[in-house]
Amino acid sequence: MFINGTTIEIPETVGTIQELLIYLKLQDKMVIVEQNGVILQKEDYSQVVKSTDTIEIVTFVGGG
Amino acid sequence: MYQIGPYTFTSRLLLGTGKFSDFDIQSRAIEVSEAEILTFAVRRMNIFEPSQPNLLDKLDLSNYRLLPNTAGAKTAEEAVRIAKLARASGLCDMIKVEVIGCDDTLLPDPFETYRACEILLSEGFIVLPYISDDVVLAHKLQELGVHAIMPGASPIGSGQGILNPYNLQIIIEQATVPVIVDAGIGTPSDAALALELGADAVLLNSAVSGAKNPVQMAEAMKLAIRAGRLGFEAGMIEKKTRAQASSPTQGMSVID
């Protein structure tokens, strides 16, 4: 899977966005997910992920 | 008090969260500043080190109105994407539109900023564009329907203060929405001047985070902003080219 500009091997047990976040230990972090160019709302996290997906995971950082 | 879109604010100090050396100093500076609005940037999560601390983990964000920026965007489309990512957090619907047009000066691109505002307004955002001190652009953005305008005092992070108080005053006089002086403020007196000119608020970051003692500077800025606003409301005397005696000019025989 292509995540934040890097190709990463994800186990086949990871089937949804929510499971991907848990696998990456990000489930309790303030993150926003974009899947294949589509920005997901929290209620979309049951969405299926595929190994060919391009995923962006962003957060808020300090800025002015 | 002043209003941005549906929100009412008492504090006239908006604080940026960038470049603080440590989380403890940052959270104390935020507390002392009494800021109600905090700005942030949107960036890729470090997925390889999720345990890496993020300043946001230490702040109770529900105490603040969040104003993410679109820093990093060079086109309207990039700014819109960042704004939509920020809103998908479910934490905010305000956006500081920041589209940089020149890497050297970090001055905003007026055309892309205007286009980004047009799109974001149609998408229902509360839109606060960062612009240079351009009187005509400020006017056109207001006509477009933005919720506040954020003219820069001088280039971002320069600490040069208000380089063109003349333009800033005209922007403030013709404003129909709040004017927040953003970028370039260096000293408490710069911040006070912005408020004396009639600005509704000031957005600070480097001036506080880069100070030797950021917590103390946050307090100095808060007091300066209050003083500047009080002075503006009190109505300052006009500058004159000649002295005007402040003691009576009658009954002077006592010294004759």
Side-chain angles (χ1 to χ4, degrees):
Chain A
M1 206 173 292
F2 199 60
I3 308 178
N4 285 7
T6 310
T7 304
I8 299 172
E9 287 292 324
I10 300 292
E12 283 188 10
T13 50
V14 172
T16 67
I17 294 288
Q18 182 63 34
E19 285 163 10
L20 177 65
L21 292 178
I22 292 168
Y23 174 73
L24 295 171
K25 301 191 172 61
L26 296 175
Q27 71 274 22
D28 297 325
K29 299 277 178 181
M30 202 297 290
V31 295
I32 305 130
V33 183
E34 191 186 65
Q35 182 183 25
N36 301 324
V38 179
I39 297 166
L40 302 181
Q41 306 301 316
K42 297 271 180 271
E43 54 269 24
D44 301 331
Y45 282 7
S46 56
Q47 201 116 316
V48 171
V49 285
K50 292 194 286 290
S51 60
T52 52
D53 280 354
T54 298
I55 305 282
E56 284 286 332
I57 302 175
V58 303
T59 187
F60 285 166
V61 299
Chain B
M1 292 214 289
Y2 66 103
Q3 187 128 7
I4 301 174
Y7 308 121
T8 302
F9 300 103
T10 308
S11 168
R12 295 178 183 276
L13 192 168
L14 286 72
L15 196 59
T17 56
K19 298 193 288 187
F20 279 88
S21 55
D22 82 69
F23 299 138
D24 182 50
I25 287 175
Q26 179 178 53
S27 55
R28 278 165 51 217
I30 291 170
E31 193 180 331
V32 165
S33 75
E34 293 178 35
E36 294 170 308
I37 302 175
L38 300 180
T39 65
F40 297 97
V42 177
R43 289 291 178 274
R44 273 179 173 167
M45 183 82 196
N46 185 345
I47 52 170
F48 299 108
E49 285 180 71
S51 56
Q52 200 181 23
N54 183 325
L55 65 103
L56 288 168
D57 299 340
K58 306 243 174 184
L59 291 175
D60 183 357
L61 296 181
S62 61
N63 290 336
Y64 305 96
R65 187 69 61 189
L66 305 188
L67 178 59
N69 65 38
T70 64
K74 292 192 167 179
T75 66
E77 285 69 27
E78 287 169 3
V80 169
R81 175 173 176 244
I82 295 170
K84 286 182 175 174
L85 283 166
R87 187 165 68 175
S89 70
L91 299 173
C92 49
D93 59 358
M94 296 206 298
I95 188 76
K96 172 181 157 180
V97 178
E98 179 175 343
V99 188
I100 299 302
C102 170
D103 287 335
D104 191 25
T105 60
L106 298 180
L107 287 170
D109 183 324
F111 301 103
E112 295 299 313
T113 300
Y114 187 93
R115 278 209 307 126
C117 288
E118 202 167 25
I119 299 167
L120 290 166
L121 285 167
S122 72
E123 301 261 0
F125 282 86
I126 310 294
V127 178
L128 296 80
Y130 161 63
I131 58 171
S132 54
D133 52 13
D134 183 324
V135 173
V136 177
L137 179 62
H139 184 67
K140 296 210 166 182
L141 284 165
Q142 282 180 94
E143 283 184 339
L144 188 63
V146 300
H147 300 86
I149 41 176
M150 306 181 79
S154 50
I156 294 172
S158 71
Q160 291 273 341
I162 298 173
L163 292 181
N164 193 342
Y166 175 81
N167 270 27
L168 197 54
Q169 190 142 31
I170 298 172
I171 289 174
I172 290 165
E173 279 169 12
Q174 71 172 20
T176 52
V177 296
V179 176
I180 301 166
V181 175
D182 180 10
I185 296 288
T187 66
S189 59
D190 295 335
L193 175 59
L195 276 286
E196 285 174 17
L197 292 171
D200 292 277
V202 170
L203 168 50
L204 304 168
N205 191 338
S206 304
V208 174
S209 65
K212 278 186 188 154
N213 184 335
V215 180
Q216 197 169 345
M217 186 57 81
E219 175 151 38
M221 289 293 187
K222 174 180 73 180
L223 296 174
I225 286 165
R226 261 191 217 151
R229 180 64 191 185
L230 280 174
F232 172 74
E233 287 175 359
M236 290 165 292
I237 63 165
E238 276 181 33
K239 287 190 179 171
K240 301 170 191 80
T241 55
R242 290 287 182 277
Q244 309 271 316
S246 49
S247 303
T249 51
Q250 314 265 296
M252 306 251 291
S253 61
V254 67
I255 53 166
D256 279 347

